[in-house]
Amino acid sequence: LRKYDIPTSVIRDFVATCGSSSGTTYDVTGTSAQIGYVHQVIVDPIAQSDLFFSDNENHRLLKTTSTGYVTLVAGSSQGYTDHATASSAKFNEPGAIARQVSSGDLFVFDRENFRLRKVAGGNGAGA
């Protein structure tokens, strides 16, 4: 992911090295994070400085703070589980994501499982 700094007109690497199909590295800052294929990025409508994004290739939902710290929101591997903790939930190519402001819930379209999934509170509480 790259960041455009409007005042300086500079584009720089902000977070993550893309193209890692061998797994996702998170709980790190900046370009130390490794992700596969980013399907969608959204600005968190609650925090407004954080970004949520789906790693389609490694079947995970991730979040980065304004400082570039990347954390796992939900997902563990390819597949399907329902009513699981967020860290043990399985997705099959998570795609479009949205966050409901009133509840904080995060919704993700689980593309190859043909389901709309919910992560309670959007903070890894359950998927």
Side-chain angles (χ1 to χ4, degrees), residues 4 35 59 84:
Y4 176 65
I35 55 177
H59 316 286

Side-chain angles (χ1 to χ4, degrees), residues 14-117:
F14 175 59
V15 71
T17 301
C18 294
S20 174
S21 62
S22 61
T24 304
T25 304
Y26 50 87
D27 291 335
V28 295
T29 301
T31 54
S32 297
Q34 292 186 1
I35 55 177
Y37 173 76
V38 175
H39 182 82
Q40 183 179 12
V41 177
I42 64 165
V43 175
D44 182 353
I46 297 171
Q48 295 188 359
S49 61
D50 297 343
L51 302 174
F52 285 100
F53 57 99
S54 55
D55 182 349
N56 186 275
E57 191 169 4
N58 292 307
H59 316 286
R60 289 169 173 80
L61 301 176
L62 301 157
K63 178 175 107 172
T64 184
T65 63
S66 60
T67 61
Y69 190 76
V70 178
T71 58
L72 175 70
V73 175
S76 60
S77 60
Q78 184 176 12
Y80 177 78
T81 54
D82 198 16
H83 302 288
T85 62
S87 62
S88 65
K90 293 182 180 183
F91 296 98
N92 193 353
E93 297 188 15
I97 52 178
R99 188 155 196 209
Q100 185 176 22
V101 175
S102 62
S103 66
D105 294 339
L106 189 67
F107 293 89
V108 58
F109 179 62
D110 192 355
R111 292 170 24 138
E112 293 302 313
N113 285 321
F114 308 102
R115 287 177 165 77
L116 181 63
R117 311 275 302 276

